[in-house]
Amino acid sequence: MSAHAPELRRLFAFLDGRLPPRDQLETRVHLEACPACRAQLDVLRRTRGALRELGERMPVVPPQNPNAEAKLMQEVARRGAPGTRVQWWWLPVTAGATLLLALLVLPRLRGASAGGEPVTETVAPGPEAPAAEGDRVATVVALRGQVEDGVSAEALHPGKAGDDLPGSAVIRTGGDGEARLALAAGGEIALGPATTLVLPPDAQGVLRLDGGTIDVHVTPRKEGERPFGVETAVARIEAIGTRFRVVHAAGATSVDVSEGKVRFVSLPSDEEQLVAAGKAARVDGSGRVAEIPAGSTLVAVAEAPAEAPEAALTPEPPAPAPEPPGEAVEPGEVEVPIQVTRARGTIDGARVRARVSRQRGAFQSCYADYMMRVAPQPVRVNAKFIVLDDGSVGSIDVNLTVEDPTLAQCVERVFRAIEFPRPQGGPARVFYPIDLSP
Amino acid sequence: MAVAAQVVWPEAILVGSETENLVGRCLTGDADAFRELYRNHRPHVARLVQRILGPDSEVEDVIQEAFIQIHRSLPSFQGSSLLSTWIHRVAVNVALQHIRRRKRQRAGPVTMVAEPPEPSSGDPAPEEDVLWRDRMRKLYAALDTLSPKKRAVFVLHEIEGMSAEDIAKTMHAPLITVRTRLFYARKALYALLAADPSFHELVGGGGG
Ligand SMILES: [Zn+2]
């Protein structure tokens, strides 16, 4: 083999001193013999040094404008106590115009997304596997052909049914191997041939698929639990209670969903997509997410090259394309509105309620998305807004009991899209709490 | 669908540690408590915001905005992380939001242009400072080509010197995601910097 392209991932890990001792040594030996890698490492090291130096030359704390504190305290006083300010700020102004309404939204995520029966079937856990205990993250339920597992990639041994796998353990199937795991957090994963899967440090963490195919069946997550997550070199998939297949081969990741839906995130580009049952999508090193025909991952399985067990580190994905400029829609935005409108008007509460109720579906989908991304836990939305003379929404302040800018923004968008009845006597203030629960 | 008309406000304010007390006092509208929180945390918040934004005339405004957001979001602080971690998370988010807004306002992608260094107003800066300021500006022009999340991970790791573990806690993201973002950000940024002549002497030719 002639001069090769240096493997950046390994060089960065080496630079950070994060390689396991054996790999560290191996890399050192390789560097002695390989001028290309040596030169590359040198550039990385110098660049890191330059960045450190830049950091040190930045002022430790930007000088404070002498008025900053006074201005902040003034602004905070104007806003009142966090979370309770409504009681004094909203009520006295126009008692008749202030509405205290609550809308209880009860989405049925599974029923709604899969369009069928909720998943009632449960995965039989490992024979002697009760609820999560100790640091067991998964148990090998069944296997066939060549399967190895161990606490790390350096300590693999032939696997057998009943093996308890702790956090960060590795399981690897050979070209003819297959294995089934029961997850301590609920759910089951079937590993296809030539697959390497790294378990998360704890039962709630994200798995890593280094290569190969997994079929995942996630049981619904309990309140407060993180969604199930699996990550490859180019994509992350999140789900709460679904069935799907993930294939990672030749630097590209495909997901094929058979039940429910999953969130598919391209790591090179941060592009995100919800993939629903009967759909499939793919992302490669360019970072672009493309829809692919459902079932086409079956072909990918057959084509997936058996990864040599010696390739301990994740294979270098193809160079990612430059990120899309502008990033038109970036979730995670919270506007911090400063109330300026003087609201004196009155508005018909029953009609406001009717208009908002009509958007129940939209609120549900905001919340369904939140449950997918975060956890199926109850959320209270406190929305305060001003309805302008023409019935449109002026300034709006969406406060949540959880910190989730994406949900707040989604809710805000729904409110903004509503055409309200015209208020009388000028803009009117509305306070609208919504309870969202799974 | 059930429509309930009652409003239930979060009332559980724990009285325990000093932090919880401070948060509890802030939640009741105690201005002195919030002032204390501000004074305790401003230096670190300012530092994070400044490093994420770089040379930006609005650093001070963004710090201010971060504290308004902190004040506003205090009811959602549940004590599952340290107060400081939570405060830093809000600050990082507000800084990123500022970047997104800024990006949207600018037309088209930002290209790295070798601008001449600003004529220094008032006291003349030593030549070396001018050089570093120029590098700083270029670094941040390069950072503008990254997505905000990658930019944050890169800055916190490479410039602020935080560990990937601490970044994961601060940004409330899985460690593996932080590592992956860091990898792509480094790969892109290191290539850009290595190609830039003014970094070349740093990157390609020994130290200073
Ligand atoms: Zn080499």
Side-chain angles (χ1 to χ4, degrees), chain A residues 4 6 30 34 36-37:
Chain A
H4 68 121
H30 175 84
C34 177
C37 284

Coordinates of all heavy atoms in Angstrom, one line a residue, chain A residues 4 6 30 34 36-37, ligand 1:
Chain A
H4 N -0.9 6.7 2.6 CA -2.3 6.7 2.9 C -2.7 8.0 3.4 O -1.8 8.8 3.9 CB -2.6 5.6 3.8 CG -2.1 5.8 5.2 ND1 -2.9 5.9 6.3 CD2 -0.8 6.1 5.6 CE1 -2.1 6.2 7.4 NE2 -0.9 6.3 7.0
P6 N -3.9 10.3 6.2 CA -3.9 10.1 7.7 C -5.3 10.1 8.2 O -6.1 10.8 7.8 CB -3.1 11.3 8.2 CG -2.4 11.8 7.0 CD -3.2 11.5 5.8
H30 N 3.4 3.7 14.5 CA 3.1 4.1 13.2 C 3.7 5.4 12.8 O 4.2 5.6 11.7 CB 1.6 4.1 13.0 CG 1.1 4.5 11.6 ND1 1.1 3.6 10.5 CD2 0.8 5.7 11.1 CE1 0.7 4.3 9.5 NE2 0.5 5.6 9.8
C34 N 5.7 6.7 9.4 CA 4.9 7.3 8.4 C 5.0 8.9 8.4 O 4.4 9.6 9.2 CB 3.4 6.9 8.6 SG 2.3 7.7 7.5
A36 N 3.6 11.0 6.4 CA 2.4 11.7 6.1 C 1.6 12.0 7.4 O 1.2 13.1 7.7 CB 1.5 10.9 5.2
C37 N 1.5 11.0 8.2 CA 0.8 11.1 9.5 C 1.5 12.0 10.4 O 0.9 12.8 11.2 CB 0.6 9.7 10.2 SG -0.7 8.8 9.4
Ligands
ZN1 ZN 0.3 7.1 8.4

